[in-house]
Each structure stands twice: as structure tokens, then as C-alpha cells.
Amino acid sequence: MRILITMALFLLFVNRAVFALGECGLACSLSGSTISEVTFGDKFGLSLQYVYTKMETIRDGDSRIGSNTLLDKVASEWPDMPEGSKSFTIPTRMIMQKYTITGSYAATDRLQFLVSVPYLINDMDMKMRMRHQMDGEHFMDMDMKMEMETVEGLGDISIMGLYSLRENEIDRPAERLMVGFGLKTPTGKNDENTDSGNRVHAMMQLGTGSWDPLFLVNYMREFSPFVLQGNLLYQLTTAGDEGYEFGDQISLDISARYPVNKYISPGLELNGLHTGSNNDHDNNFSRPETSLLDNPDNTGITAFYVTPLVNVKIPKTGCSTDLKFQYPLYQHVRGIQQVVDWRIMASVVWNF
């Protein structure tokens, strides 16, 4: 228990100036894999995870702000007699879907390797406020709804090695402490353009174009009949080949499960996420005068979530399934950002 408390304190007191392709990013897939059954295979494990994220709420700091109120605020700062035309675009709804295949291989009793391959589908609706100069002192404001073309394809593949520092049994330990080191590779495209030739928003790209070191600590302890797990993941981000650098990310997941019988285990997770602000070193994605999303000042978040779940084991097989529903308890953003309203995660795991 002291290890779990230490991990929680680390999340709360870590420097608040510390990646998120979206609000979840890599944490949803890797943390979900290390907490799942895929790491308990005798030799091989395989999991398929699906994540559906809905984002509509816009926050200014930790306060909600409506889309029309935000556009009114932006337009009020435009001069009364603009030279030519002005426009500003905000997101009104994002739907982010991710399919992740994760394979595990136990090289020894204590050393295993994970490979995670994500496939992303990103959709977004937007609203644009336009101001046109009519003549002399007269102008007209008009709102227009828009829809971004779907961005879909292979994301960034991650590779990680896990080493068990402590486990009281080899086959099915009741207590286990693992540490991990890995690398997120730049396999997803990060230079997608729209049909009009504009660069797709950095957070809606399929990849980051960067090689990012990953550090993980996972602790599992069985307090019969409860099973507790803690998972701490840190991603040290670097600048991508397009000059865009996402902020470092740290995530903490604490999971408790209660087996009602041999096959069904409901549970509850508490999740924490902190990401730093992004930096567009080459200004390939920054258009702060015309777009809320294309402004690095509107990046970085601290958030906490609650996640009820149920795990079901298929009798006489090595197969199990997880279903989770994640809901935010607290979100504080840097600048003005669209945030997660809720998230559904479903996975199937097969151990060999």
C-alpha cells in the first residue's frame, strides 16, 4: 500500500508544467494493457482494445464556456471597422476512435515485452464566426457550421519491456511489482492536409513524428477477495519532424476489482492525467488569430476521472473481456480547450 500512496503523491506534487493527441493519448492504450490480463500469459498474450471518446464541452481554465459565448468574446475584440474580413473557428464536437492491438511475449519468468499498434479515426465538427466589411463603417457577422474530413489510419506504434522486480508466485502472483521502459515510434502520419491545402490540426493528426521514451511502474496486490492495481506512466516527449512538440504526459490509474464469482469481476478505477503545454517550433500548425485549436497557448491539462468497469472471463479458455465507462471528475485546462465528456473502452484479451 505504501507504493500506491507514493504513486498518488507523485502525481499530485509533480511539476505542473509537465502529450496528449486528444485528452487521453497514449495513456488509454498502454495503461489499459498493463492493467488488463494480457500481462499474465504463460508465453504470449494478445488484446484488442476499442476506445470511443466524445468531446463537446469547452473549458476556460476549469469553467465551462458555451460556443456562442466564446465566439462573441472573440468577436468583441475585433476592431469595429476591420480592414477586409476576419474569421475565427472553434470545435463544437470531436469524436475520437482508437483500435489498439497489443501483443505480449514473456521472454523469461520476469521479463516480457509489449508491442501496441493503434489505428485511429478522428472526426470533428466546427463553427466559424466571420466578419465581412460591407462599406465604410458597416460590417456583418455570420456563423457557419463546418465538418472536418475524417482523419483515419495507423497511429504511433509503441514498444515496451516490463521487468518484475517482485512477485510472490510465478504462475499467478498475488503480489507483483513491475517496471517498464519503452519507446513510442513515429509511425503515424503527422503531416495530413485537408483538400483545401491547410494542415490538419496537430491534435487531430495520426501521429506526432517524434521518438518518445516511456517509463512505467505497475503494482498489483490481491487482498482477497479484492484485487488492487496501480499504474504510473510517464511519457517524455520530443519534437517531431514537423517541428511540433507535445507536452510531456504523466498518468496514474488505480484499479480495484471484486470477483463475485470465478468469471465476473466488477470494479472501479480512479484515473489522473497531467500534460504539459505544446510547442510549435516551426510554426507549421499555429494559426492563433483564426483557430482555437491551432494555438499552443490552449494546450496542457490536469484531469481526474472515475471509471466503473466489469471484467468477464470466458470459461475453459484463456479469454477475458473488459468494459469500462470513463467520466471526468475534474478538468483544468491551460487557456481555452475542448475536453472529454465521456469515454467508453472495451477490450478482449487472449492468453496462450
Side-chain angles (χ1 to χ4, degrees), residues 40 166-177 219-224 226-229:
F40 287 102
R166 177 181 178 182
E167 54 185 19
N168 61 346
E169 296 177 25
I170 298 300
D171 294 334
R172 184 70 183 192
E175 182 180 18
R176 184 176 69 175
L177 174 63
Y219 180 71
M220 185 275 296
R221 178 72 181 270
E222 184 175 332
F223 298 92
S224 185
F226 289 97
V227 178
L228 293 179
Q229 282 202 67

Side-chain angles (χ1 to χ4, degrees), residues 69-293:
T69 302
L70 175 57
L71 289 173
D72 290 342
K73 178 181 176 181
V74 172
S76 69
E77 297 173 359
W78 288 341
D80 292 337
M81 295 178 59
E83 297 179 1
S85 302
K86 285 188 175 292
S87 66
F88 193 81
T89 304
I90 65 171
T92 54
R93 188 181 71 131
M94 293 185 196
I95 300 296
M96 292 183 170
Q97 301 178 75
K98 180 192 286 188
Y99 296 86
T100 304
I101 295 177
T102 299
S104 69
Y105 169 70
T108 69
D109 289 340
R110 292 187 178 273
L111 178 64
Q112 60 181 298
F113 297 95
L114 293 180
V115 178
S116 293
V117 183
Y119 186 90
L120 289 78
I121 306 172
N122 294 332
D123 292 285
M124 180 170 63
D125 298 331
M126 297 166 285
K127 183 183 287 187
M128 175 187 288
R129 171 73 54 89
M130 296 174 291
R131 174 170 292 181
H132 295 286
Q133 186 174 8
M134 305 296 289
D135 58 80
E137 299 180 357
H138 300 91
F139 58 87
M140 178 180 67
D141 286 350
M142 180 174 63
D143 289 349
M144 176 186 294
K145 294 182 179 180
M146 300 183 298
E147 185 176 319
M148 186 190 78
E149 305 159 26
T150 299
V151 179
E152 177 178 357
L154 177 70
D156 287 343
I157 296 174
S158 298
I159 304 170
M160 176 166 285
L162 297 173
Y163 185 79
S164 295
L165 293 176
R166 177 181 178 182
E167 54 185 19
N168 61 346
E169 296 177 25
I170 298 300
D171 294 334
R172 184 70 183 192
E175 182 180 18
R176 184 176 69 175
L177 174 63
M178 294 191 304
V179 295
F181 173 77
L183 194 65
K184 185 203 69 64
T185 67
T187 52
K189 289 190 65 176
N190 66 323
D191 57 356
E192 291 274 0
N193 292 323
T194 64
D195 287 342
S196 60
N198 292 325
R199 186 62 56 89
V200 171
H201 312 287
M203 72 172 296
M204 301 298 282
Q205 295 282 348
L206 300 172
T208 67
S210 63
W211 297 84
D212 298 343
L214 307 170
F215 306 92
L216 180 140
V217 178
N218 177 273
Y219 180 71
M220 185 275 296
R221 178 72 181 270
E222 184 175 332
F223 298 92
S224 185
F226 289 97
V227 178
L228 293 179
Q229 282 202 67
N231 199 80
L232 180 69
L233 176 67
Y234 183 78
Q235 180 174 354
L236 178 63
T237 57
T238 61
D241 55 3
E242 293 293 313
Y244 198 89
E245 182 176 1
F246 286 87
D248 292 357
Q249 173 178 289
I250 184 169
S251 64
L252 175 67
D253 305 278
I254 298 177
S255 174
R257 299 187 184 190
Y258 178 84
V260 295
N261 55 43
K262 291 194 299 184
Y263 305 112
I264 300 176
S265 300
L268 188 70
E269 288 183 9
L270 296 176
N271 318 97
L273 175 71
H274 182 74
T275 73
S277 56
N278 304 346
N279 195 333
D280 189 2
H281 297 284
D282 297 339
N283 289 318
N284 285 326
F285 297 89
S286 297
R287 296 184 293 270
E289 300 84 5
T290 60
S291 172
L292 180 74
L293 282 179

